[in-house]
């Protein structure tokens, strides 16, 4: 009878031998089926806040610069806008297009791991990445990050492959990194980090003419993605007068983050994102433990070279440092291209030290699956797990209730619910509902709204700063701690607290693991003004 490791090797070898288009079709089908219940959800948070409206501007008017511009490069807008001209404007079409880019990225991960470690490790790395909660959630969300990740990972796959024609390989890498930068401007971090590495190697090996030519060639290749990005920002400045978006966007994502205190705090959180978030620590702890096992004396499996490990370390550190400064929100999706590299190193370490590594991969996979639903009592963004679905569903239900029972209401609410009520194209309502917007549901904002009760007769209360129920309870019970005081100043009031302050009655409410939505109705007395007939 064939042993389990032998059976795994035979089946993974057969899978790895399949042509690229066949593998892509398999990955696409697996992703679509795995996300089947998520494919027709309305648009979430930044999807509805920027990316879908920007793509709709291209769809309707073929404009590269949307009406509200953050200066993000236009490639995702072009892709989605063109798709809708073919399929019509449908959320399902959008989600399936994102699945296609996620499948392309998975194929890149598979080919990268296959070239460096062989077919068995390629299958393990790809499966682990597919179910890692942060990647899983982004595999259907229309953010620019998944577009950039797909192009970046294919550039990585070619960069770490040495058996191709050098000039052709460098040309394709330049093109792929350029497409990544035109998808999301921060994707320039990867080629910049690699170019800096080759500059250091050039200085180190300057006595070798061959090494000088090689590193100089790579520096030119890796600098090329700057050109289309510079051209985009020049065009954006010519059309809008702003190079990097409107001043408020630039302040939030760059200039406001340049204090030492903010950078050090961001470095801490970004380290957690790279070493801890959503049970990634399980893979890393197992890998570290394996380092204490002796290397097998013979039949050593294919492993990562020192040069490859050094390059991966440079890419991970570059992302850690860059995204501790860039970006106002510390979102894990900015790090999508480096998570596969981290898992690749973990799988390589497991294989090098023990023949039982498939069981370690299975244990890690189980921890990733549980992290899709079970969350630690810490702060995290809803889009890091299936919590984002809870948020969409409670908003969808609340808006449907208002649409059915109070079709003429003027609704007090905060973003993103304000956009969801006003814009039918986001998928929450079939018509625009009047809104009185406020910043959030903190005590100060609710008290401001209380001063102008005539502006609304209904409220849709939602969470604008997600906190797990356990952490929320702890912080409320410890108001004298630093985190407790900070939370007290910034927390969203509960629907009951909002209703008590504004003098309304909760007529509908739903809560799902810390995400809530509630409809509050207010009894108003209005003066009827009779207008004389003309």
């Amino acid at each position: 009878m064939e042993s389990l490791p032998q059976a795994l090797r035979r089946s993974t070898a057969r899978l790895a031998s399949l042509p690229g288009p066949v593998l892509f079709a398999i990955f696409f089908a697996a992703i679509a089926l795995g996300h089947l219940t998520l494919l027709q959800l309305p648009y979430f948070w930044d999807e509805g806040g920027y990316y879908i409206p920007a793509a709709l501007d291209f769809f309707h008017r073929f404009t590269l610069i949307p009406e509200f511009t953050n200066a993000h490069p236009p490639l995702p807008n072009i892709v989605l806008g063109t798709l809708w001209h073919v399929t019509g404007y449908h959320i399902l079409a959008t989600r399936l297009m994102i699945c296609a880019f996620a499948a392309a990225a998975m194929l890149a991960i598979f080919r990268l791991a296959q070239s460096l470690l062989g077919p068995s490790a390629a299958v393990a790395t790809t499966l682990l990445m597919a179910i890692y909660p942060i990647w899983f959630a982004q595999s259907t969300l229309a953010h620019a990050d998944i577009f950039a990740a797909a192009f970046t990972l294919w550039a990585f796959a070619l960069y770490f492959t040495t058996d191709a024609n050098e000039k052709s390989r460098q040309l394709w890498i330049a093109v792929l990194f350029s497409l990544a930068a035109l998808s999301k401007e921060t994707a320039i971090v990867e080629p910049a980090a690699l170019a800096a590495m080759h500059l250091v190697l050039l200085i180190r090996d300057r006595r070798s003419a061959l090494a000088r030519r090689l590193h100089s060639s790579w520096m030119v290749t890796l600098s090329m993605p700057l050109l289309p990005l510079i051209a985009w920002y020049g065009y954006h400045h010519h059309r809008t007068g702003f190079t990097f978006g409107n001043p408020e966007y630039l302040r939030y994502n760059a200039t406001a983050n340049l204090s030492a205190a903010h950078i050090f705090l961001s470095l801490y959180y970004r380290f957690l994102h790279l070493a801890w978030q959503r049970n990634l620590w399980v893979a890393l702890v197992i890998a570290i433990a394996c380092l204490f096992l002796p290397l097998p004396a013979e039949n050593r499996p294919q492993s990562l070279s020192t040069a490859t490990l050094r390059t991966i370390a440079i890419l991970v550190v570059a992302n850690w440092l860059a995204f501790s400064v860039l970006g106002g929100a510390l979102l894990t999706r900015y790090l999508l291209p480096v998570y596969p590299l981290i898992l690749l190193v973990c799988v390589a370490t497991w294989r090098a030290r023990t023949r039982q590594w498939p069981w370690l991969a299975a244990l890690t996979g189980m921890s990733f699956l549980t992290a899709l639903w079970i969350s630690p009592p810490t702060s995290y963004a809803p889009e890091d797990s299936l919590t984002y679905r809870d948020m969409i569903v409670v908003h969808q239900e609340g808006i449907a209730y208002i649409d059915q029972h109070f079709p003429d209401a003027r609704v007090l609410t905060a973003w993103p619910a304000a956009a969801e009520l006003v814009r039918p194209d986001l998928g929450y309502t079939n018509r625009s509902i009047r809104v009185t917007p406020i910043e959030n549901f903190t005590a100060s904002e609710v008290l401001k709204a209380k001063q102008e009760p005539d502006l609304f007769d209904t409220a849709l209360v939602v969470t604008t700063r997600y906190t797990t129920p356990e952490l929320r309870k702890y912080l409320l019970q410890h108001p004298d701690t630093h985190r407790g005081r900070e939370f007290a100043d910034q927390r969203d009031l509960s629907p009951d607290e909002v209703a008590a302050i504004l003098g309304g009655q909760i007529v509908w409410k739903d809560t799902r693991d810390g995400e809530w939505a509630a409809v509050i109705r207010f009894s108003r007395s209005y003066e009827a003004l009779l207008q004389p007939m003309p």
Side-chain angles (χ1 to χ4, degrees):
M1 187 177 193
E2 191 175 32
S3 67
L4 179 61
Q6 289 174 329
L8 283 174
R9 282 196 294 270
R10 290 173 64 88
S11 59
T12 55
R14 284 195 294 267
L15 182 65
S17 66
L18 294 174
V22 175
L23 281 174
F24 172 81
I26 292 172
F27 291 156
F28 174 78
I31 293 169
L33 289 173
H35 294 76
L36 196 60
T37 60
L38 309 172
L39 291 179
Q40 298 201 59
L41 288 176
Y43 293 117
F44 167 77
W45 201 261
D46 281 347
E47 288 185 297
Y50 182 81
Y51 293 111
I52 295 303
L56 282 169
D57 282 345
F58 181 84
F59 173 60
H60 292 304
R61 297 187 294 276
F62 291 100
T63 176
L64 294 177
I65 300 176
E67 183 177 349
F68 174 76
T69 176
N70 285 347
H72 288 317
L75 189 56
N77 305 339
I78 295 171
V79 171
L80 293 177
T82 303
L83 168 73
W84 296 330
H85 276 288
V86 175
T87 65
Y89 179 69
H90 301 293
I91 291 176
L92 178 60
T94 307
R95 300 277 184 229
L96 289 175
M97 176 58 78
I98 304 305
C99 287
F101 271 86
M106 298 309 298
L107 181 56
I109 295 168
F110 185 87
R111 291 304 191 205
L112 170 62
Q114 182 185 6
S115 66
L116 294 176
L117 297 175
S120 298
V123 170
T125 305
T126 306
L127 284 175
L128 287 174
M129 196 68 249
I131 61 176
Y132 182 54
I134 293 168
W135 185 279
F136 183 91
Q138 294 302 320
S139 293
T140 57
L141 294 177
H143 296 138
D145 306 85
I146 194 67
F147 292 85
F151 292 121
T152 298
L153 287 165
W154 268 110
F156 286 168
L158 288 178
Y159 180 84
F160 286 105
T161 301
T162 57
D163 57 356
N165 178 275
E166 189 71 12
K167 289 185 178 179
S168 175
R169 184 164 67 105
Q170 289 189 1
L171 176 60
W172 276 109
I173 288 171
V175 170
L176 288 164
F177 274 137
S178 296
L179 291 172
L182 288 175
S183 299
K184 186 78 180 291
E185 65 278 9
T186 51
I188 201 67
V189 169
E190 278 76 24
L194 293 174
M197 181 188 73
H198 281 284
L199 175 60
V200 173
L201 294 175
L202 173 64
I203 295 171
R204 189 194 67 178
D205 302 332
R206 61 184 179 275
R207 294 182 180 180
S208 168
L210 180 61
R212 287 202 306 271
R213 284 196 300 272
L214 176 63
H215 296 309
S216 297
S217 175
W218 275 113
M219 287 174 61
V220 171
T221 297
L222 296 165
S223 298
M224 286 177 65
L226 274 173
L227 299 179
L229 196 57
I230 290 170
W232 162 250
Y233 281 125
Y235 174 74
H236 189 274
H237 182 84
H238 172 71
R239 294 297 302 272
T240 68
F242 302 119
T243 303
F244 301 108
N246 62 75
E248 178 60 25
Y249 172 79
L250 182 61
R251 185 201 67 79
Y252 177 72
N253 283 278
T255 57
N257 305 329
L258 297 180
S259 68
H262 184 276
I263 291 173
F264 280 116
L265 185 62
S266 298
L267 285 168
Y268 167 72
Y269 281 114
R270 284 301 185 194
F271 177 79
L272 293 182
H273 292 168
L274 290 166
W276 181 268
Q277 202 79 347
R278 311 313 301 181
N279 288 348
L280 187 59
W281 64 269
V282 173
L284 290 167
V285 167
I286 292 174
I288 293 170
C290 285
L291 291 176
F292 292 94
L293 299 175
L295 282 169
E298 54 186 22
N299 297 326
R300 290 187 183 181
Q302 186 179 352
S303 190
L304 299 178
S305 67
T306 302
T308 298
L309 288 170
R310 177 193 62 203
T311 304
I312 290 174
I314 289 170
L315 288 167
V316 172
V317 171
N319 277 263
W320 176 40
L321 297 176
F323 290 111
S324 296
V325 177
L326 301 174
L330 294 173
L331 297 173
T332 54
R333 70 170 185 256
Y334 299 166
L335 302 169
L336 281 184
V338 297
Y339 284 124
L341 301 181
I342 294 171
L343 284 177
L344 183 69
V345 173
C346 290
V347 171
T349 305
W350 304 340
R351 288 177 75 244
R353 301 285 175 160
T354 174
R355 293 181 179 179
Q356 304 304 316
W357 70 270
W359 297 108
L360 303 181
L363 175 62
T364 302
M366 289 299 298
S367 73
F368 287 174
L369 284 173
T370 59
L372 277 168
W373 293 277
I374 302 173
S375 300
T378 57
S379 298
Y380 66 93
E383 65 186 52
D384 286 355
S385 69
L386 288 177
T387 301
Y388 87 90
R389 181 187 181 276
D390 294 335
M391 178 178 173
I392 291 175
V393 170
V394 296
H395 285 212
Q396 192 177 23
E397 292 174 347
I399 292 170
Y401 187 91
I402 293 172
D403 204 4
Q404 180 180 354
H405 293 87
F406 313 116
D408 298 319
R410 178 171 295 259
V411 182
L412 177 76
T413 194
W415 192 85
E420 295 160 1
L421 285 160
V422 171
R423 298 196 59 143
D425 47 27
L426 299 185
Y428 291 84
T429 177
N430 292 323
R431 61 186 182 84
S432 183
I433 298 173
R434 294 181 300 169
V435 163
T436 298
I438 58 175
E439 289 293 321
N440 47 53
F441 284 100
T442 59
S444 59
E445 285 293 308
V446 173
L447 289 172
K448 286 180 188 177
K450 185 179 181 180
Q451 305 307 311
E452 298 180 295
D454 294 340
L455 295 181
F456 57 92
D457 53 40
T458 306
L460 176 61
V461 181
V462 297
T463 48
T464 64
R465 292 182 178 87
Y466 176 72
T467 308
T468 60
E470 297 82 2
L471 181 60
R472 181 183 176 88
K473 180 179 179 181
Y474 173 82
L475 293 173
L476 287 173
Q477 292 175 346
H478 298 82
D480 295 331
T481 64
H482 173 72
R483 286 289 305 276
R485 289 190 296 270
E486 188 179 71
F487 178 73
D489 292 336
Q490 298 179 355
R491 75 175 179 91
D492 287 314
L493 299 181
S494 69
D496 294 299
E497 291 172 315
V498 174
I501 292 173
L502 297 181
Q505 179 184 2
I506 296 176
V507 294
W508 176 90
K509 181 169 69 171
D510 188 17
T511 300
R512 292 172 179 249
D513 194 28
E515 287 286 358
W516 63 64
V519 177
I520 302 175
R521 191 66 174 170
F522 304 95
S523 299
R524 304 285 193 222
S525 298
Y526 298 100
E527 237 182 76
L529 299 178
L530 298 178
Q531 299 292 334
M533 296 293 290

